[in-house]
Amino acid sequence: LVTPDEVGDAGSLNICLRLNGQTMQQSNTKQLIFPIDQLISYVSGVCTLKVWDVLFTGAPPGGRHTGGLRAIPPPGGVPVKSTSPTFSVQ
């Protein structure tokens, strides 16, 4: 999505997930258990990472719960995951 020089400090990126314009999760990569570079190093040792591969590491703190259950996107719902200030994925 971007080159490392465009990201800046990958260990301090705001993370946000919106569903139909409503914020469902909001956190920062500081909250990850393992640093980004360590995650990429580990995964690339197990399999070959290719352009457009995306690593999902689990739900960050700050997730919105609905009645004790995670909100599930309704049919036609548009989830948008963004990392500020770098990119947005729809």
Side-chain angles (χ1 to χ4, degrees), residues 6-16 27-31 36 82-87:
E6 293 175 302
V7 171
D9 183 4
S12 184
L13 296 173
N14 292 322
I15 303 169
C16 183
S27 189
N28 189 290
T29 54
K30 291 178 193 175
Q31 299 296 316
I36 302 256
S82 64
T83 302
S84 176
T86 310
F87 66 89

Side-chain angles (χ1 to χ4, degrees), residues 39-41 43-44 47-51 53-55:
L39 289 168
I40 293 172
S41 176
V43 173
S44 65
C47 63
T48 302
L49 291 174
K50 298 180 181 179
V51 175
D53 281 349
V54 177
L55 303 180

Side-chain angles (χ1 to χ4, degrees), residues 70-86:
R70 288 268 181 215
I72 298 172
V78 180
V80 177
K81 181 76 171 181
S82 64
T83 302
S84 176
T86 310

Side-chain angles (χ1 to χ4, degrees), residues 24 63-72:
M24 303 303 284
R64 170 175 274 182
H65 295 272
T66 306
L69 301 173
R70 288 268 181 215
I72 298 172

